[in-house]
Every structure is written in structure tokens, then in C-alpha cells.
Amino acid sequence: VPAQRNTRQRQAIRKVFEETSRPLRPLEILDLAQRHVNSIGLATVYRCLKALTDEGFLLSLTMPEVGTLYERADKKHHHHFYCRACDQLFDLEGCTLEQGGFVPPGYALDSHEIFLYGTCATCSTGATS
Ligand SMILES: [Zn+2]
Ligand SMILES: [Zn+2]
């Protein structure tokens, strides 16, 4: 694979993540990257995602029921919300768990993961047919 081509495709994926702050799954990334570069397939997307993760630009994490999602590595601590209605992922800012009091005395908490599922604001208020 010519290095030049790979570079263009990697830049297209980088641009996708500069344009959106939502966490994205590989198929969404492919779809959005195709707006910037013509010749890109899912295998290349995966290859670029791995490279961008290795160099510290992206983070990947696996959300039960949803699969692996990718997002910029420079975000503050937050959690993820999955809307079952529109099949999109959203970031939830702020975390009450960081205020403490969640674990019993004597336990030292150093990290946590929470995944939220439901209906986003747009889908909650939108008319359903
Ligand atoms: Zn929704
Ligand atoms: Zn948290």
C-alpha cells in the first residue's frame, strides 16, 4: 500500500474527529471519512484507527451492546450515552461519581466506567410515527 495514500486517508479520519465531538463507531467513521477522501474502505479505516490510537490522538473503548467506539483522547472525564432510537452515541459532561462517597470506607477508587442507554433529547421530543 503506497504510504502517500495511507497518509491521505489517515488525515481524512483525523478531520472527521476534528469536525465532530461525538464518539463514533467504525462504520460511522467510514461514512464520514468518505466525504473527505474517495478511496477508503473499512479495512483501511480500522488500520488508520489503530495508528491514530497508537499515536495518542484517539482512544477506543468497548461499550456493551454497542461495540467499539472511538473518540479524541484529549477529552475530560465523561460518560457515554447510547440512544436506542437513533442509534447514535453522545458524550455526557460532568460526573457526580468524582465527588466521592460511592465506595465504602477503606476502598480506594481510582477509576470507573459507566454506560448509559435510553433516548436522546431529539428522539424524546420528536414525533414518532
Ligand atoms: Zn436519538
Ligand atoms: Zn465518571
Side-chain angles (χ1 to χ4, degrees):
V1 179
Q4 193 61 35
R5 216 180 108 213
N6 253 332
T7 303
R8 242 190 15 249
Q9 290 161 330
R10 197 185 295 191
Q11 275 165 357
I13 290 175
R14 214 177 238 280
K15 205 168 162 65
V16 166
F17 282 95
E18 278 157 10
E19 288 171 351
T20 180
S21 63
R22 286 197 316 113
L24 299 168
R25 285 161 292 171
L27 281 175
E28 295 174 285
I29 296 161
L30 172 65
D31 194 47
L32 294 168
Q34 279 169 340
R35 296 176 191 179
H36 302 297
V37 63
N38 295 325
S39 55
I40 188 163
L42 194 55
T44 307
V45 167
Y46 275 112
R47 230 177 7 251
C48 292
L49 288 173
K50 188 185 180 310
L52 289 168
T53 303
D54 288 347
E55 72 188 45
F57 178 69
L58 293 179
L59 280 180
S60 74
L61 108 140
T62 302
M63 185 166 175
E65 289 183 50
V66 175
T68 302
L69 56 97
Y70 291 83
E71 65 182 356
R72 301 258 306 258
D74 58 3
K75 291 181 183 177
K76 281 194 304 194
H77 178 79
H78 64 280
H79 293 289
H80 298 108
F81 187 100
Y82 174 69
C83 174
R84 298 184 198 279
C86 65
D87 187 39
Q88 285 197 88
L89 289 156
F90 301 90
D91 281 344
L92 299 181
E93 305 301 332
C95 175
T96 51
L97 283 183
E98 291 213 309
Q99 292 157 15
F102 188 66
V103 296
Y107 287 75
L109 180 69
D110 61 25
S111 70
H112 64 261
E113 248 337 315
I114 305 170
F115 299 113
L116 301 101
Y117 304 82
T119 313
C120 74
T122 307
C123 291
S124 295
T125 55
T128 49
S129 52

